[in-house]
Amino acid sequence: MELNKLQYKKGSRGHKVKVAGRGFGNGGTSGFRGQTLAHKSRLAFEGNQTALYQRVRKIGFNNYEFANNYNVITLKQLNTLNESQVDMNTLVAHRIFKNNDLPLKVIGNDKVTLAIDLKVNKITDAAKKAIEAAGGSVEILN
């Protein structure tokens, strides 16, 4: 054995293998992706302060308070009732709709088979003509 012929054992002094994405202690946090992907942030990110679109008031028109809500019934449903006198109490008894506080509106353009006397808050022109053509009458309540 001569000092000038000494060599390290193979693999004992090789470069340390990097482990990607395991924090600073293991050679970096970006996982070999470079700096651009590791530091991208979402759209409208303002450096951890509240973004502009979240700070600004949302103003505009909302129709919720002014909407006209009705209990709507069709002429097809009226045909299935087989009643000659139809008003709010009749429809509640047959469980046609759930909210008794809302006014009643009749829509549709089907043929009416019975002569119906109807008391409603609102009705379309086609529905009124169909009921009157079958010999019924329509009374509009306030």
Side-chain angles (χ1 to χ4, degrees):
M1 182 187 291
E2 296 176 5
L3 290 176
N4 62 344
K5 293 185 179 179
L6 287 177
Q7 292 182 346
Y8 292 103
K9 192 174 180 180
K10 185 177 181 184
S12 66
R13 289 178 58 89
H15 180 58
K16 176 183 166 187
V17 178
K18 277 192 174 182
V19 179
R22 297 293 187 272
F24 292 107
N26 287 324
T29 56
S30 59
F32 304 120
R33 296 181 186 172
Q35 296 302 311
T36 56
L37 286 176
H39 297 294
K40 273 195 174 175
S41 57
R42 63 175 167 75
L43 187 65
F45 182 71
E46 297 184 19
N48 214 20
Q49 74 179 6
T50 306
L52 180 68
Y53 72 90
Q54 292 174 322
R55 292 192 308 256
V56 175
R57 285 183 59 216
K58 279 51 168 197
I59 59 172
F61 181 72
N62 186 349
N63 197 31
Y64 180 76
E65 297 173 8
F66 310 107
N68 294 324
N69 297 319
Y70 291 96
N71 286 319
V72 179
I73 185 171
T74 62
L75 290 178
K76 188 179 279 188
Q77 290 173 311
L78 284 177
N79 284 333
T80 60
L81 288 179
N82 294 328
E83 295 275 342
S84 60
Q85 298 283 335
V86 177
D87 59 350
M88 190 73 111
N89 297 330
T90 308
L91 297 173
V92 170
H94 284 283
R95 297 182 181 174
I96 300 295
F97 48 79
K98 293 180 180 178
N99 193 348
N100 301 339
D101 299 330
L102 295 177
L104 178 63
K105 182 175 183 178
V106 177
I107 62 171
N109 54 5
D110 296 337
K111 291 186 177 180
V112 180
T113 56
L114 294 172
I116 300 173
D117 295 328
L118 190 63
K119 295 180 181 179
V120 293
N121 299 96
K122 207 161 195 179
I123 188 167
T124 61
D125 289 336
K128 187 174 183 179
K129 288 177 185 175
I131 289 173
E132 290 174 348
S137 64
V138 177
E139 181 182 342
I140 296 178
L141 306 172
N142 289 333

